[in-house]
Amino acid sequence: MRQTVPVLVERWGDSLYRAAFAVCRNPQDAEDVVQETLLAYYRSDKEFDSDEHIRAWLIRVAVNKAKNATICFWRRNRRSLEDYVESLAFEADSDRELLDAVLRLPERYRIVLHLFYYEDYSIKELAALLKLSEGAVKSRLSRARSMLREQLTEGWEDEQS
């Protein structure tokens, strides 16, 4: 006996989510677990005896996947950006100030700066990667540099006062 995935979602989606959430205690992880569980069902060629057999199998898979999610390397080693920045060793205080200034930029400018300066992407490659025109990439880089210059100049002027 097999059921379609939409039928499973309608019947037991909430139960799977609650079981996963009870283990993960994180809504996003629980949603991921439900999706992975349904994908496992879809990919399996297992035949089930009854609806109850399907439900029991789904719950067991969801609980196991949720346990795996809670012990995975990424989740155990996750920490905030602020904690990470604090753990970095900088040769000079100005290096830390530059990183802080870059992190304060809006995401659209921060991304192009990072990819251009740290990952060595060309303007043309950035345009293709970000699905922007080359002019838009140049404009964002220019604005990002301008914003950085402004932030760093303000910081320097504050220190001089």
Side-chain angles (χ1 to χ4, degrees), residues 1 3 8 11-12 15 48-60:
M1 166 179 223
Q3 295 287 341
L8 298 178
R11 284 178 135 172
W12 298 304
S15 296
F48 298 93
D49 299 330
S50 65
D51 281 347
E52 194 55 39
H53 186 204
I54 294 172
R55 181 177 180 269
W57 186 87
L58 289 169
I59 295 288
R60 174 62 17 217

mmCIF file of all heavy atoms in Angstrom, residues 1 3 8 11-12 15 48-60:
data_model
loop_
_atom_site.group_PDB
_atom_site.id
_atom_site.type_symbol
_atom_site.label_atom_id
_atom_site.label_comp_id
_atom_site.label_asym_id
_atom_site.label_seq_id
_atom_site.Cartn_x
_atom_site.Cartn_y
_atom_site.Cartn_z
ATOM 1 N N MET A 1 0.842 -1.173 0.000
ATOM 2 C CA MET A 1 0.000 0.000 0.000
ATOM 3 C C MET A 1 0.892 1.243 0.000
ATOM 4 O O MET A 1 1.838 1.340 0.758
ATOM 5 C CB MET A 1 -0.906 -0.017 1.244
ATOM 6 C CG MET A 1 -1.569 1.281 1.519
ATOM 7 S SD MET A 1 -2.618 1.182 2.959
ATOM 8 C CE MET A 1 -4.000 2.066 2.352
ATOM 9 N N GLN A 3 0.682 5.728 -0.487
ATOM 10 C CA GLN A 3 -0.123 6.946 -0.556
ATOM 11 C C GLN A 3 0.694 8.013 -1.278
ATOM 12 O O GLN A 3 1.916 7.962 -1.288
ATOM 13 C CB GLN A 3 -0.464 7.456 0.850
ATOM 14 C CG GLN A 3 -1.343 6.539 1.656
ATOM 15 C CD GLN A 3 -2.779 6.556 1.161
ATOM 16 O OE1 GLN A 3 -3.223 7.455 0.470
ATOM 17 N NE2 GLN A 3 -3.516 5.511 1.504
ATOM 18 N N LEU A 8 -0.244 12.388 2.358
ATOM 19 C CA LEU A 8 0.502 12.252 3.616
ATOM 20 C C LEU A 8 0.636 13.589 4.333
ATOM 21 O O LEU A 8 0.488 13.667 5.551
ATOM 22 C CB LEU A 8 1.891 11.666 3.355
ATOM 23 C CG LEU A 8 1.942 10.270 2.758
ATOM 24 C CD1 LEU A 8 3.384 9.849 2.525
ATOM 25 C CD2 LEU A 8 1.238 9.266 3.657
ATOM 26 N N ARG A 11 -2.714 14.441 5.890
ATOM 27 C CA ARG A 11 -3.080 13.581 7.016
ATOM 28 C C ARG A 11 -2.140 13.718 8.208
ATOM 29 O O ARG A 11 -2.580 13.786 9.349
ATOM 30 C CB ARG A 11 -3.081 12.119 6.583
ATOM 31 C CG ARG A 11 -4.254 11.725 5.768
ATOM 32 C CD ARG A 11 -4.081 10.305 5.391
ATOM 33 N NE ARG A 11 -5.320 9.578 5.578
ATOM 34 C CZ ARG A 11 -5.478 8.345 5.184
ATOM 35 N NH1 ARG A 11 -4.485 7.688 4.620
ATOM 36 N NH2 ARG A 11 -6.620 7.754 5.354
ATOM 37 N N TRP A 12 -0.833 13.675 7.955
ATOM 38 C CA TRP A 12 0.124 13.560 9.054
ATOM 39 C C TRP A 12 1.205 14.638 9.072
ATOM 40 O O TRP A 12 2.138 14.562 9.861
ATOM 41 C CB TRP A 12 0.773 12.183 9.034
ATOM 42 C CG TRP A 12 -0.222 11.089 9.220
ATOM 43 C CD1 TRP A 12 -1.101 10.938 10.250
ATOM 44 C CD2 TRP A 12 -0.462 9.997 8.342
ATOM 45 N NE1 TRP A 12 -1.874 9.825 10.071
ATOM 46 C CE2 TRP A 12 -1.496 9.217 8.898
ATOM 47 C CE3 TRP A 12 0.088 9.585 7.133
ATOM 48 C CZ2 TRP A 12 -1.976 8.065 8.297
ATOM 49 C CZ3 TRP A 12 -0.394 8.444 6.540
ATOM 50 C CH2 TRP A 12 -1.414 7.697 7.117
ATOM 51 N N SER A 15 1.489 16.142 12.545
ATOM 52 C CA SER A 15 2.051 15.173 13.501
ATOM 53 C C SER A 15 3.557 15.037 13.313
ATOM 54 O O SER A 15 4.312 14.974 14.285
ATOM 55 C CB SER A 15 1.414 13.800 13.320
ATOM 56 O OG SER A 15 0.060 13.840 13.623
ATOM 57 N N PHE A 48 3.765 -0.843 2.305
ATOM 58 C CA PHE A 48 3.242 -0.796 3.657
ATOM 59 C C PHE A 48 1.957 -1.599 3.744
ATOM 60 O O PHE A 48 1.212 -1.712 2.772
ATOM 61 C CB PHE A 48 2.991 0.665 4.060
ATOM 62 C CG PHE A 48 4.245 1.497 4.068
ATOM 63 C CD1 PHE A 48 4.617 2.234 2.947
ATOM 64 C CD2 PHE A 48 5.056 1.527 5.188
ATOM 65 C CE1 PHE A 48 5.773 2.992 2.951
ATOM 66 C CE2 PHE A 48 6.214 2.287 5.205
ATOM 67 C CZ PHE A 48 6.584 3.020 4.083
ATOM 68 N N ASP A 49 1.703 -2.134 4.942
ATOM 69 C CA ASP A 49 0.526 -2.970 5.158
ATOM 70 C C ASP A 49 -0.755 -2.150 5.323
ATOM 71 O O ASP A 49 -1.830 -2.599 4.924
ATOM 72 C CB ASP A 49 0.717 -3.839 6.407
ATOM 73 C CG ASP A 49 1.906 -4.775 6.274
ATOM 74 O OD1 ASP A 49 2.216 -5.182 5.133
ATOM 75 O OD2 ASP A 49 2.534 -5.087 7.305
ATOM 76 N N SER A 50 -0.611 -0.978 5.951
ATOM 77 C CA SER A 50 -1.799 -0.176 6.244
ATOM 78 C C SER A 50 -1.409 1.292 6.408
ATOM 79 O O SER A 50 -0.231 1.631 6.438
ATOM 80 C CB SER A 50 -2.449 -0.668 7.540
ATOM 81 O OG SER A 50 -1.561 -0.438 8.623
ATOM 82 N N ASP A 51 -2.418 2.138 6.562
ATOM 83 C CA ASP A 51 -2.159 3.550 6.829
ATOM 84 C C ASP A 51 -1.406 3.731 8.141
ATOM 85 O O ASP A 51 -0.538 4.594 8.250
ATOM 86 C CB ASP A 51 -3.476 4.329 6.890
ATOM 87 C CG ASP A 51 -4.035 4.634 5.512
ATOM 88 O OD1 ASP A 51 -3.292 4.470 4.518
ATOM 89 O OD2 ASP A 51 -5.206 5.039 5.421
ATOM 90 N N GLU A 52 -1.760 2.921 9.130
ATOM 91 C CA GLU A 52 -1.083 3.011 10.423
ATOM 92 C C GLU A 52 0.396 2.637 10.295
ATOM 93 O O GLU A 52 1.252 3.229 10.954
ATOM 94 C CB GLU A 52 -1.788 2.116 11.456
ATOM 95 C CG GLU A 52 -1.378 2.389 12.877
ATOM 96 C CD GLU A 52 -1.551 3.849 13.295
ATOM 97 O OE1 GLU A 52 -2.545 4.488 12.915
ATOM 98 O OE2 GLU A 52 -0.666 4.350 14.010
ATOM 99 N N HIS A 53 0.707 1.674 9.454
ATOM 100 C CA HIS A 53 2.084 1.269 9.197
ATOM 101 C C HIS A 53 2.851 2.432 8.549
ATOM 102 O O HIS A 53 3.994 2.727 8.919
ATOM 103 C CB HIS A 53 2.113 0.023 8.307
ATOM 104 C CG HIS A 53 3.465 -0.550 8.100
ATOM 105 N ND1 HIS A 53 3.781 -1.322 7.013
ATOM 106 C CD2 HIS A 53 4.622 -0.462 8.813
ATOM 107 C CE1 HIS A 53 5.052 -1.680 7.071
ATOM 108 N NE2 HIS A 53 5.578 -1.170 8.159
ATOM 109 N N ILE A 54 2.232 3.120 7.604
ATOM 110 C CA ILE A 54 2.855 4.284 6.957
ATOM 111 C C ILE A 54 3.118 5.374 7.999
ATOM 112 O O ILE A 54 4.213 5.935 8.073
ATOM 113 C CB ILE A 54 1.957 4.840 5.822
ATOM 114 C CG1 ILE A 54 1.835 3.832 4.686
ATOM 115 C CG2 ILE A 54 2.509 6.164 5.303
ATOM 116 C CD1 ILE A 54 0.806 4.221 3.622
ATOM 117 N N ARG A 55 2.102 5.642 8.819
ATOM 118 C CA ARG A 55 2.229 6.689 9.840
ATOM 119 C C ARG A 55 3.356 6.364 10.807
ATOM 120 O O ARG A 55 4.193 7.227 11.122
ATOM 121 C CB ARG A 55 0.920 6.841 10.600
ATOM 122 C CG ARG A 55 0.953 7.902 11.656
ATOM 123 C CD ARG A 55 -0.420 8.051 12.328
ATOM 124 N NE ARG A 55 -0.394 9.059 13.336
ATOM 125 C CZ ARG A 55 -0.109 8.829 14.620
ATOM 126 N NH1 ARG A 55 0.133 7.610 15.049
ATOM 127 N NH2 ARG A 55 -0.099 9.823 15.483
ATOM 128 N N ALA A 56 3.428 5.135 11.280
ATOM 129 C CA ALA A 56 4.478 4.733 12.215
ATOM 130 C C ALA A 56 5.862 4.871 11.573
ATOM 131 O O ALA A 56 6.813 5.355 12.211
ATOM 132 C CB ALA A 56 4.257 3.297 12.680
ATOM 133 N N TRP A 57 5.969 4.480 10.304
ATOM 134 C CA TRP A 57 7.247 4.585 9.599
ATOM 135 C C TRP A 57 7.660 6.050 9.465
ATOM 136 O O TRP A 57 8.814 6.410 9.710
ATOM 137 C CB TRP A 57 7.121 3.927 8.218
ATOM 138 C CG TRP A 57 8.405 3.859 7.459
ATOM 139 C CD1 TRP A 57 9.342 2.875 7.527
ATOM 140 C CD2 TRP A 57 8.896 4.815 6.504
ATOM 141 N NE1 TRP A 57 10.391 3.160 6.679
ATOM 142 C CE2 TRP A 57 10.141 4.350 6.042
ATOM 143 C CE3 TRP A 57 8.410 6.008 6.013
ATOM 144 C CZ2 TRP A 57 10.899 5.047 5.110
ATOM 145 C CZ3 TRP A 57 9.163 6.710 5.086
ATOM 146 C CH2 TRP A 57 10.390 6.228 4.638
ATOM 147 N N LEU A 58 6.713 6.897 9.079
ATOM 148 C CA LEU A 58 7.008 8.322 8.924
ATOM 149 C C LEU A 58 7.462 8.965 10.240
ATOM 150 O O LEU A 58 8.435 9.725 10.270
ATOM 151 C CB LEU A 58 5.783 9.068 8.379
ATOM 152 C CG LEU A 58 5.417 8.804 6.923
ATOM 153 C CD1 LEU A 58 4.047 9.397 6.612
ATOM 154 C CD2 LEU A 58 6.473 9.365 5.982
ATOM 155 N N ILE A 59 6.764 8.649 11.314
ATOM 156 C CA ILE A 59 7.120 9.211 12.622
ATOM 157 C C ILE A 59 8.516 8.751 13.028
ATOM 158 O O ILE A 59 9.340 9.546 13.483
ATOM 159 C CB ILE A 59 6.083 8.818 13.703
ATOM 160 C CG1 ILE A 59 4.721 9.448 13.400
ATOM 161 C CG2 ILE A 59 6.566 9.177 15.092
ATOM 162 C CD1 ILE A 59 4.637 10.944 13.619
ATOM 163 N N ARG A 60 8.811 7.463 12.832
ATOM 164 C CA ARG A 60 10.125 6.939 13.193
ATOM 165 C C ARG A 60 11.227 7.616 12.381
ATOM 166 O O ARG A 60 12.246 8.032 12.920
ATOM 167 C CB ARG A 60 10.152 5.413 12.977
ATOM 168 C CG ARG A 60 11.451 4.724 13.173
ATOM 169 C CD ARG A 60 12.137 4.749 14.544
ATOM 170 N NE ARG A 60 11.396 5.094 15.698
ATOM 171 C CZ ARG A 60 11.884 5.813 16.721
ATOM 172 N NH1 ARG A 60 13.111 6.215 16.739
ATOM 173 N NH2 ARG A 60 11.150 6.101 17.752
#
